[in-house]
Amino acid sequence: MEDGKVNKTTDGMPDTVFQSVIDYIHDSRDRSAASLVCRRWYEIDSSARKHVTIAMCYATTPQMLSRRFQSIEALKLKAKPRAAMFNLIPEDWGGYVTPWVEEISRSFRGLKDLHFRRMIVKDSDLELLAQSHGQALHSLKLDKCSGFSTDGLLHICRSGKSLFPHICWLPLLLGFDHCFPSLSATWCWNLRTLFLEESTILEKDGEWLHELALNNNVLETLNFYMTDLVNVGFEDLELIARNCRSLVSVKISEVELLNLVGFFRAAASLEEFGGGNFYKQPESYSSVLFPPKLCCLGLSYIGPHEMPIVFPFTSRLRRLDLVCSLLDTDDHCLLIQRCPNLEVLETRNVIGDRGLEEVGRCCKRLRRLRIEPSDEEPELIDEGELVSHRGLIALAQGCLNLEYMAVYVSDLTNASLECIGTNLKCLRDFRLVLLDHEHRAPELPLDNGVRALLQGCKLRRFGLYLRRGALTDVGLGYIGKYSPNVRWMLLGWVGESDAGLLEFSRGCPCLQKLEIRCCRFSEIALATAVLQLTSLRYLWVQGYKASATGQDLLAMARPFWNIELIKKRVVVAGPGGEAVVEEDPAHILAYYSLAGQRTDFPDTVTPLEAAVLNA
């Protein structure tokens, strides 16, 4: 007994011991496993859990979350399937944040960090967040979200000072602050992080940024990179830099770099900068001086003539983003030679094999590499300016500390995959896309190379998108057999028949999320595979042998398993306003949910049971 309270025990272990230990268990999977030991541990975990991630917003309800975890301080919530980033999911699919924000405002008074990803957010949601969590909110991330405007951002950023400051203390003192939100709210003065990257935002004006500059002096991260926000006052950015001495990361839209000279001068603590643009003649930028601590850089539309402005500090760069640059292979080589301390590199496949050879030779500390496809037409790119097996081998032999690699390649061989498996023992996340255009015929099939890769690397995430005939049923079976720790997997154009999929599904004991594209498997084979993948919690398939009713998919029906269909549809799109009619194949989306079937289906999405009954 301690302080008059009985110290409860569970199987001989006092609660105080477990309460002391559980704070050191940070992995959510370990925490969940511990909470299943007994009812008491479940209760302790419920009261002690501070961070929660919900990978599918329809997997539970806001009310279930508030009953289960009463004291969370950070919430990350995801909605639309990952395929939405590639315009493969209908815009009206769902993923509304409103019911979650309403519950947050009622039940989670201690919440400090909010991260919404691929969700639909309304201005009214942001207004309610500002009113209910204005003082508490430290971080707000609207990551690839849509549905809101700069008016919503204004609610987050504006001053909440009362019009009657001499009486605004009275409701607080009496405990009636919830009855007078206009008096008591201080809005988001304590906001440290505002993240809007790649969100679709309706811009009405730039007042939100001006209010942020006037009212915040603790901001550390500001990110509206890859948005269409153009009303950006460089005076406001400079004021933010002067007021917020802890500002370390700023990523913005396309603002003329010459207008940021004052901002760079004021942002003495800045370590990361991304965005900007170059509208003037190259010689004009000689006056641009970057902050002394800058070590992470991503300048939009930087070309070979502007490149010299970064040379003075390239030796201290740890992260370099060249995805939106205008550099060719030679420019990449020249720049990379000057970056010996690089740990993260993001670029396009115009880096070429020669560029990757320089990376392997100079960047021994590289941990993460992402190579996106070029926007140029394939026939306009020289073969030597693309990434092939040669570049992959040079990379694998030179950058032994790589943990993450996502690359688009024009050519691939078994030897290059084997080299990755032999050398990159730290690799945990590997994603590769073999592009459709061919400068020369690749070495097919790639069964043995894929097997060697998986045997050599202890991967947790694996993505492989090939061409027809690049991986046989035998190779697909290898993926299942040699992926004991993989939890997420993307497969495209792999296998030859249903037999390969069934052999694959006999392995992958830890696989929780599976995405499949352009693999002509039947519905019954997909359903059988799902039942054999015992850890599977989420499935997305596009480009399968879809039937008129989807009736064979009922074979994978089970309690708490929601199955949704997006029927084949015609998409009208095209550059320059020219209409191009494309056929979007049917989709399957299936996931575990404690909440049952969702109720906000748009016309483009149908639950499987309804599709079968209405056929």
Side-chain angles (χ1 to χ4, degrees):
M1 185 176 295
E2 188 176 317
D3 296 332
K5 298 180 181 179
V6 176
N7 188 7
K8 297 181 180 180
T9 63
T10 304
D11 292 334
M13 178 186 291
D15 283 356
T16 52
V17 174
F18 182 64
Q19 287 170 343
S20 299
V21 170
I22 198 170
D23 289 337
Y24 294 94
I25 304 175
H26 302 296
D27 189 286
S28 60
R29 294 185 294 270
D30 294 337
R31 290 288 290 258
S32 298
S35 70
L36 296 176
V37 171
C38 62
R39 183 69 187 181
R40 185 58 188 156
W41 283 22
Y42 176 91
E43 294 170 351
I44 293 173
D45 177 51
S46 294
S47 61
R49 188 80 70 97
K50 300 299 182 186
H51 306 274
V52 172
T53 296
I54 300 175
M56 163 60 80
C57 68
Y58 293 116
T60 185
T61 67
Q63 294 72 30
M64 288 180 177
L65 178 67
S66 61
R67 288 195 299 267
R68 174 73 168 88
F69 302 110
Q70 303 86 27
S71 305
I72 61 172
E73 297 178 356
L75 173 63
K76 182 176 181 179
L77 190 62
K78 302 178 184 180
K80 292 181 181 180
R82 202 181 62 91
M85 296 189 298
F86 307 98
N87 299 319
L88 298 174
I89 301 296
E91 182 62 30
D92 63 351
W93 177 85
Y96 298 92
V97 83
T98 300
W100 293 92
V101 170
E102 291 174 349
E103 186 65 24
I104 287 169
S105 66
R106 286 191 297 264
S107 304
F108 296 105
R109 288 296 178 180
L111 197 66
K112 298 178 181 179
D113 300 336
L114 264 177
H115 185 172
F116 298 132
R117 184 172 173 84
R118 297 192 295 269
M119 299 194 74
I120 298 176
V121 182
K122 299 179 181 179
D123 289 343
S124 56
D125 300 325
L126 298 178
E127 182 179 13
L128 182 55
L129 273 178
Q131 290 177 351
S132 63
H133 284 71
Q135 290 178 301
L137 200 62
H138 286 183
S139 174
L140 177 62
K141 295 183 178 181
L142 305 179
D143 184 0
K144 299 177 177 65
C145 292
S146 62
F148 63 101
S149 73
T150 50
D151 286 350
L153 296 179
L154 186 59
H155 291 303
I156 296 295
C157 301
R158 72 183 179 184
S159 169
K161 289 183 179 179
S162 171
L163 296 175
F164 310 101
H166 58 287
I167 65 169
C168 69
W169 56 269
L170 186 59
L172 297 173
L173 184 64
L174 298 177
F176 299 140
D177 55 302
H178 61 283
C179 300
F180 303 93
S182 62
L183 296 179
S184 62
T186 55
W187 308 104
C188 301
W189 286 2
N190 292 318
L191 198 66
R192 269 77 166 172
T193 298
L194 180 58
F195 182 101
L196 309 169
E197 186 167 328
E198 291 191 55
S199 286
T200 303
I201 307 169
L202 176 62
E203 185 174 41
K204 297 184 177 180
D205 53 45
E207 188 64 20
W208 69 277
L209 187 63
H210 183 63
E211 288 291 333
L212 183 67
L214 292 176
N215 299 303
N216 190 299
N217 60 8
V218 296
L219 197 68
E220 298 172 3
T221 298
L222 174 62
N223 187 329
F224 51 96
Y225 186 57
M226 300 294 286
T227 68
D228 292 329
L229 298 177
V230 295
N231 291 314
V232 179
F234 60 88
E235 302 93 341
D236 294 329
L237 291 174
E238 184 174 344
L239 184 58
I240 289 173
R242 294 188 185 280
N243 290 342
C244 306
R245 309 311 297 175
S246 56
L247 190 69
V248 294
S249 176
V250 173
K251 299 179 73 175
I252 61 176
S253 53
E254 298 176 16
V255 176
E256 167 57 56
L257 209 67
L258 286 177
N259 292 335
L260 301 178
V261 172
F263 164 75
F264 288 136
R265 187 183 302 117
S269 300
L270 197 69
E271 298 177 6
E272 179 179 31
F273 178 78
N277 206 333
F278 299 85
Y279 294 107
K280 308 294 183 181
Q281 293 299 316
E283 57 272 12
S284 305
Y285 297 96
S286 58
S287 61
V288 177
L289 297 176
F290 290 94
K293 296 183 179 180
L294 196 69
C295 56
C296 304
L297 185 67
L299 295 177
S300 299
Y301 306 110
I302 185 173
H305 299 296
E306 296 85 16
M307 198 165 54
I309 68 172
V310 306
F311 286 167
F313 61 96
T314 50
S315 61
R316 69 170 184 260
L317 285 180
R318 297 200 309 269
R319 178 170 184 166
L320 183 60
D321 183 352
L322 301 175
V323 172
C324 294
S325 73
L326 302 177
L327 305 180
D328 61 17
T329 303
D330 291 331
D331 301 326
H332 276 83
C333 293
L334 181 61
L335 184 56
I336 288 167
Q337 290 170 2
R338 299 169 178 262
C339 302
N341 295 310
L342 213 56
E343 297 177 9
V344 180
L345 175 62
E346 300 174 79
T347 185
R348 295 175 297 123
N349 59 352
V350 293
I351 187 175
D353 289 335
R354 288 191 292 115
L356 286 186
E357 288 169 355
E358 289 296 333
V359 172
R361 186 177 65 85
C362 302
C363 306
K364 300 300 182 181
R365 299 183 180 182
L366 197 69
R367 295 182 296 104
R368 296 177 63 87
L369 174 68
R370 179 167 67 94
I371 300 178
E372 295 286 342
S374 175
D375 294 332
E376 298 182 47
E377 294 296 328
E379 59 270 13
L380 300 179
I381 305 175
D382 293 335
E383 181 177 355
E385 295 182 350
L386 291 173
V387 175
S388 73
H389 61 94
R390 187 181 116 201
L392 293 180
I393 291 175
L395 188 72
Q397 292 175 340
C399 301
L400 304 183
N401 295 318
L402 270 175
E403 301 168 5
Y404 168 92
M405 181 163 60
V407 295
Y408 284 74
V409 299
S410 61
D411 187 21
L412 191 61
T413 63
N414 284 290
S416 60
L417 294 173
E418 291 169 5
C419 187
I420 293 172
T422 300
N423 293 286
L424 301 184
K425 298 302 181 183
C426 298
L427 196 64
R428 296 295 177 266
D429 190 337
F430 177 80
R431 311 176 193 195
L432 182 143
V433 176
L434 181 59
L435 294 170
D436 289 335
H437 57 269
E438 301 183 32
H439 287 280
R440 57 177 176 267
E443 175 190 306
L444 301 178
L446 298 168
D447 299 352
N448 292 333
V450 169
R451 177 179 59 182
L453 169 71
L454 293 170
Q455 285 179 317
C457 303
K458 297 179 180 179
L459 299 178
R460 296 192 179 97
R461 297 171 71 85
F462 178 60
L464 192 65
Y465 198 104
L466 302 174
R467 303 174 188 161
R468 187 186 298 274
L471 199 76
T472 69
D473 284 346
V474 174
L476 189 52
Y478 288 157
I479 294 177
K481 183 177 181 179
Y482 298 109
S483 300
N485 301 308
V486 175
R487 297 180 179 275
W488 171 88
M489 190 177 292
L490 166 67
L491 299 174
W493 286 117
V494 297
E496 301 165 297
S497 67
D498 289 349
L501 178 63
L502 297 178
E503 182 63 28
F504 159 83
S505 65
R506 294 186 178 95
C508 298
C510 297
L511 187 61
Q512 295 181 341
K513 298 183 72 173
L514 175 61
E515 302 176 16
I516 299 176
R517 283 196 72 194
C518 301
C519 300
R520 306 297 292 171
F521 303 129
S522 68
E523 292 177 346
I524 190 63
L526 288 167
T528 304
V530 167
L531 296 176
Q532 293 186 162
L533 293 166
T534 55
S535 297
L536 198 66
R537 299 291 178 267
Y538 174 97
L539 173 72
W540 175 79
V541 184
Q542 184 198 40
Y544 62 103
K545 294 180 180 177
S547 66
T549 64
Q551 185 169 357
D552 287 343
L553 293 173
L554 287 173
M556 66 174 169
R558 47 187 160 173
F560 308 109
W561 184 245
N562 289 352
I563 307 172
E564 302 175 4
L565 302 181
I566 301 175
K567 294 183 179 180
K568 181 173 62 175
R569 59 201 177 105
V570 174
V571 179
V572 179
E578 182 181 351
V580 177
V581 179
E582 298 178 350
E583 185 178 273
D584 189 34
H587 302 237
I588 302 169
L589 179 65
Y591 54 92
Y592 267 118
S593 174
L594 297 174
Q597 201 70 260
R598 65 181 173 121
T599 58
D600 60 351
F601 286 108
D603 293 338
T604 53
V605 182
T606 307
L608 177 62
E609 294 83 352
V612 173
L613 290 174
N614 295 332

